[in-house]
């Protein structure tokens, strides 16, 4: 992909966000993109190629937002990032004149997305990639449930440090009763909410509102995922405790 | 290596092809280079440093082809890529004036190949690296065997997804009898030839002519290597079935 | 981090030294930086973010040496590299005008170190990051012990190939009695000192003065760490044997 892009746009800055997405894990790719894309300069072209359906009927899309372009398969991998952006236009990628030929059935990253991204970075109008479309695939992301004094969410992503990032938005935590806030996991108190990892002793669990914008379960100096056998989808409850 | 190159050529574009080559695995490095080098722009200097014999008597070489330069140890790691290129000249690297001093016995990538590659990218004539030579080490790659209605090859490389890439060239598949083509592995029918991964149900095996130019055994949504205990060198037969 | 840097300095060359530092392993990060930083061009800004204490009281520092800038947490991760450089000034990073806001408690790499590094690369005087300080955290690195005919050191770092790099400086080896030099490990002779890996048969152990500047225990064609169950901190003795 990088060779193809540099062939079309020798002045491109190529940045890998991560080499840690498990094969075919669309949700993990979508999460990594959503957590990092907004820190790149205006005009960046984001390409995501977690693409287990390559060669099948799944569509390819290019999206323009107020700040960025996004290019990838229409399988949801772009959707968590797009949910945080102001979308201007979504187009299906169909213009074969832009593709690398022969187009393989197994690596559209190289043959379709890379040349389209390079061309967009050179100023190609979005309309040239194909027709405008109205809908695109969005990953379902269950909304956390609110009660009088708690928020019930779930684990959305486990990173390479063994930290478990939930779908509970940091900005919602302030609405809980002030004072001690504790995390309930598997029906029992697991740990407290703290502002940073080392607020608890070494190898103790802690919940921290982290830099991705969401609440995270972590182990100070270790892997929470390993110690507590954490899995994506498990329920996590934050409970406010009045003074 | 990157620091050394940028010190000599601050305008270099540095691209890592992969971080997944097992230590000392010359064949895996050769395969990764052969599968990707041709997608880079004309004039690219390809450096490959899978180099278990570093410090011993093995030679270092620089090769100019119609489109590229190649720099690395003369142990075969360049040979699969060179088999796909039109070679203009092969020179042994001996000009110590180009090296970083003191030259270590354990990391010629940094002390020899990086400065030579940087100098070639700046226009140094190939003849300045050392004398022209006629032969270089080539990895043996057994030719697949053809019968009336089948091609017998072997697994050449297993990638990080657990896909097994064979030495059977995609372009040879067309010559088999039309209709269903099936894969024989360990004496039994394993799966069919299909144009893309998701042509078979989730977690079923499939053989796909992939983007590297060779036939690949894969598992839709999983690791074929793990499920079938695949190893480099195992025989794979494609059999054409007449209508 | 890369997005933040490119937003401030679009002409930056971004180079990853490694993706292999275990989570929170300050000593491994310090070792990787010390082994590689000196090969980068004069003026390079080195940023290291192995930062398990992020969000707690640990300080952040920026250091100017004769050749480079260094930016990171004041936890020792910079100290092994700084021990090899001529320090001109050390400043605590406190100028919040340089930071990305809101500053998270979990990723100062992105919010503090990246923008400070980008600004230093653009010519910001070091004094603008905060006040000058006199001391910074240094990792303890036990000095090898010398006897009449031996040097006793320890394993300092194990790399991804399973090589064990010791704290025994290559330049000290010459002072041992000439002739055969052998390595004593767990009270027994493990192997000999050799100039390169393939000086011993396949899968045999060997000690080599490697390119990082230190003596390394390795296995020709395999992982010494796995075969001999090596760990950081284990004692390693080099013994000179008179003719």
């Amino acid at each position: 992909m990088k060779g193809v892009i540099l062939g079309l746009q020798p002045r491109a800055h190529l940045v890998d966000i991560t080499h840690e997405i498990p094969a075919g894990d669309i949700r993990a790719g979508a999460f990594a993109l959503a957590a990092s894309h907004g820190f790149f300069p205006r005009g960046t072209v984001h390409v995501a190629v977690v693409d287990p359906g390559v060669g099948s009927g799944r569509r390819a899309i290019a999206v323009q937002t107020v700040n960025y372009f996004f290019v990838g398969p229409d399988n949801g991998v772009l959707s968590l990032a797009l949910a945080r952006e102001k979308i201007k236009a979504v187009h299906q990628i169909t213009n074969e004149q832009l593709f690398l030929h022969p187009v393989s059935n197994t690596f559209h990253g190289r043959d379709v997305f890379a040349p389209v991204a390079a061309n967009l970075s050179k100023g190609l109008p979005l309309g040239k990639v194909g027709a405008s479309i109205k809908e695109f695939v969005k990953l379902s992301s269950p909304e956390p449930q609110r009660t009088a004094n708690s928020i019930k969410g779930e684990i959305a992503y486990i990173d390479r440090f063994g930290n478990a990032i939930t779908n509970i938005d940091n900005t919602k935590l302030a609405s809980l009763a002030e004072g001690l806030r504790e995390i309930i996991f598997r029906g029992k108190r697991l740990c407290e909410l703290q502002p940073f990892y080392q607020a608890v002793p070494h190898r103790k669990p802690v919940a921290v509102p982290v830099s991705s914008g969401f609440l995270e379960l972590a182990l100070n100096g270790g892997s929470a995922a390993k110690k507590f056998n954490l899995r994506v989808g498990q329920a996590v409850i934050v409970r406010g405790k009045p003074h």
Side-chain angles (χ1 to χ4, degrees), chain A:
Chain A
M1 287 181 64
K2 292 178 180 174
V4 171
I5 291 170
L6 289 172
L8 291 164
Q9 168 54 296
R11 295 172 54 212
H13 278 276
L14 301 172
V15 175
D16 298 337
I17 289 181
T18 167
H19 298 274
E20 311 278 344
I21 305 298
D25 190 337
I26 294 169
R27 186 169 293 270
F31 190 89
L33 185 63
S36 59
H37 79 276
F39 294 94
F40 282 83
R42 223 181 128 93
T44 297
V45 182
H46 295 286
V47 187
V49 197
V50 183
D51 193 11
V54 61
S56 72
R58 70 100 186 88
R59 300 190 301 186
I61 57 173
V63 182
Q64 186 166 9
T65 69
V66 169
N67 292 312
Y68 302 116
F69 290 96
F70 292 84
V71 175
D74 185 23
N75 61 12
V77 71
L78 302 177
S79 66
L80 299 186
L82 290 173
R84 295 179 170 197
E85 295 294 323
K86 205 166 177 175
I87 294 174
K88 290 175 70 178
V90 183
H91 286 244
Q92 185 173 359
I93 298 172
T94 55
N95 181 359
E96 299 189 0
Q97 291 183 7
L98 299 173
F99 301 172
L100 198 70
H101 293 277
V103 175
S104 72
N105 278 313
T106 57
F107 193 7
H108 284 190
R110 183 192 67 194
D111 302 335
V112 175
F113 304 129
V116 165
N119 277 290
L120 289 174
S121 82
K122 290 169 75 176
L124 184 82
L126 190 68
K128 298 281 185 187
V129 308
S132 169
I133 57 178
K134 285 192 177 142
E135 292 301 321
F136 59 93
V137 174
K138 293 179 184 74
L139 294 184
S140 64
S141 50
E143 275 300 295
Q145 294 160 31
R146 189 62 210 267
T147 72
N149 199 27
S150 77
I151 302 174
K152 182 182 178 182
E154 61 176 51
I155 295 174
Y157 179 65
I158 293 174
D159 73 14
R160 73 184 191 98
F161 299 109
N163 300 323
I165 296 118
T166 71
N167 62 344
I168 301 173
D169 199 295
N170 292 339
T171 60
K172 303 291 167 60
L173 297 168
S175 68
L176 290 177
E178 276 184 40
L180 192 67
R181 284 153 191 158
E182 58 184 22
I183 306 303
I184 311 298
F185 183 71
R186 294 194 179 112
K188 285 191 294 196
R189 183 183 177 289
L190 178 73
C191 60
E192 286 173 20
L193 184 70
Q194 296 286 358
F196 55 91
Y197 301 125
Q198 292 197 338
V200 298
H202 191 60
R203 300 204 58 81
K204 290 293 175 190
V206 62
V208 183
V210 294
S211 57
S212 62
F214 293 97
L215 185 70
E216 176 184 297
L217 301 188
L219 195 73
N220 179 15
S223 165
K226 254 188 209 159
K227 178 149 183 190
F228 301 109
N229 200 21
L230 303 182
R231 295 277 178 274
V232 168
Q234 289 173 327
V236 172
I237 300 170
V238 196
R239 193 163 63 186
K241 255 180 152 180
H243 289 289

